[in-house]
Structures are given as structure tokens and as C-alpha cells.
Amino acid sequence: SGNYKYLRNLHINNKINSINENIVNHTANQIIKICLSYGVDVIVFENLRHKFKRAKRSFRARLHHWRKIAIYNKAYEMAHRNGIRVSTVNPNGTSKYAYDGSGEVERDNDNYSICKFVSGKVYNCDLSASYNIAARYYIRETVKPLDVNSRLLVEAKVPQCSKRSTCTLSTLINLNAELMSLAA
């Protein structure tokens, strides 16, 4: 009868949800454990809270579903309990641009976690993206408290920092060098 099919699907869905929940708890626990061991003040995430219409997903998509928002929420709660601030940055182009400022990266077809920079350097995409995420946070925290005249002067000398979605680690290095020359 139809009830058996419904109960079988319910059982499979419950298993999938419990596995996903286990992944969420384990990942958030590891993030907070690393942060506490290194004495971190701020955790910076990409802002992955997109407002989109939820589509019907296949069984395979549900099984391989990466619960990024649930991980963020769980890590946010745990960080708040431990006195760690949480901040988010714009996710556009963090993996797309090389951290050294050489431009867009080219992904390897065989191993998607490896990319090749325009300069010829072969690097890990996730590590390059994490450098860019951290740089965007520091650029925002450095430029935000400046008054309007100072900000315009800095943006004239380092034009990449005016558009935050293309900021990389090299932009942060140039910004810090410019701020040092302004302070002197």
C-alpha cells in the first residue's frame, strides 16, 4: 500500500537528517575548539544566508546536502557562549581571485581543490579563499572608522579597496602600506 512507501521514505529522511545534524555538530565543535585553543577574538564566515526559493531536491541532493547555514548558526551560538565575536563578509569572488592579486584563478579539472594563478603558481583554492575572506574582514575594519576625507584619500591610492567584492590579501597589504605612509 501507499503507507509503506511513505514510512520507508520517512525512515530514510530521518536517517539523512540525523547524519546531517551530526555533521553540523561535529563541524561547529571543531571550529570552536580550534578557536579556543588559539585564543581567537573573532570568527569570520562568508555570508551564506541567501534568500532563495527552496526547490524540491532529489534523494541524492538531500544525502549530499551541505548544511552551511546550520553550521553557521551552531558555531554562532557556541562562539557567543564562549565570548567570541562572529562576523560575516561578502562571499562573491573569494575563491575566484588569487590572494596575491594576480587576477582570477583557473581550477584544475582533475582536482577541484587545486587552482592555478595567472602568475603560474599552483595553490590550494580553499586556502587562497580563506586568505581573501580574512583580508576582506580586516579591510572593512580598517577603512570603516576612517573619516570621509581619509577614506577618499586611501581609496584614491588603493582603488581596489573601494570595491570590497574584489579585495584580496594583496589589497590589504597595499592598504596597510598606504596607511603607514599617511601616519608618517
Side-chain angles (χ1 to χ4, degrees):
S1 70
N3 286 341
Y4 176 73
K5 185 177 179 182
Y6 169 76
L7 290 175
R8 190 175 135 255
N9 288 341
L10 184 66
H11 178 69
I12 291 171
N13 285 338
N14 287 340
K15 274 189 173 181
I16 291 170
N17 289 338
S18 66
I19 289 169
N20 283 336
E21 199 60 38
N22 188 21
I23 291 170
V24 167
N25 290 332
H26 184 70
T27 306
N29 282 331
Q30 290 298 318
I31 289 170
I32 298 301
K33 185 195 283 184
I34 290 170
C35 291
L36 291 174
S37 68
Y38 285 103
V40 171
D41 294 330
V42 179
I43 303 172
V44 182
F45 287 104
E46 289 180 324
N47 186 5
L48 300 173
R49 293 173 172 256
H50 298 296
K51 305 277 189 220
F52 55 87
K53 190 174 181 181
R54 196 170 177 153
K56 188 174 181 180
R57 297 174 303 204
S58 67
F59 174 75
R60 186 174 182 183
R62 283 182 287 152
L63 186 62
H64 295 287
H65 181 59
W66 182 243
R67 299 194 49 192
K68 54 191 176 276
I69 295 173
I71 290 171
Y72 170 79
N73 290 336
K74 183 77 170 177
Y76 181 83
E77 292 168 4
M78 294 175 73
H80 182 68
R81 271 186 257 141
N82 290 299
I84 301 172
R85 292 184 302 128
V86 176
S87 182
T88 59
V89 296
N90 184 3
N92 294 342
T94 52
S95 300
K96 182 180 178 181
Y97 297 109
Y99 74 90
D100 63 355
S102 61
E104 294 186 15
V105 298
E106 182 181 323
R107 295 278 182 128
D108 187 13
N109 290 333
D110 297 330
N111 189 355
Y112 201 66
S113 66
I114 301 223
C115 61
K116 185 175 182 181
F117 294 178
V118 176
S119 60
K121 187 188 306 183
V122 177
Y123 211 74
N124 187 318
C125 289
D126 294 331
L127 189 56
S128 176
S130 65
Y131 287 156
N132 291 338
I133 291 168
R136 286 183 185 182
Y137 171 75
Y138 282 116
I139 289 170
R140 183 180 69 211
E141 294 299 315
T142 303
V143 172
K144 191 178 3 179
L146 295 176
D147 61 339
V148 177
N149 293 333
S150 300
R151 185 179 305 148
L152 290 174
L153 185 63
V154 166
E155 288 176 357
K157 302 275 181 143
V158 185
Q160 300 96 339
C161 71
S162 62
K163 188 175 181 188
R164 197 98 24 85
S165 63
T166 58
C167 289
T168 61
L169 183 62
S170 66
T171 308
L172 177 64
I173 292 168
N174 294 340
L175 177 66
N176 283 337
E178 186 57 39
L179 289 173
M180 291 296 198
S181 68
L182 284 177

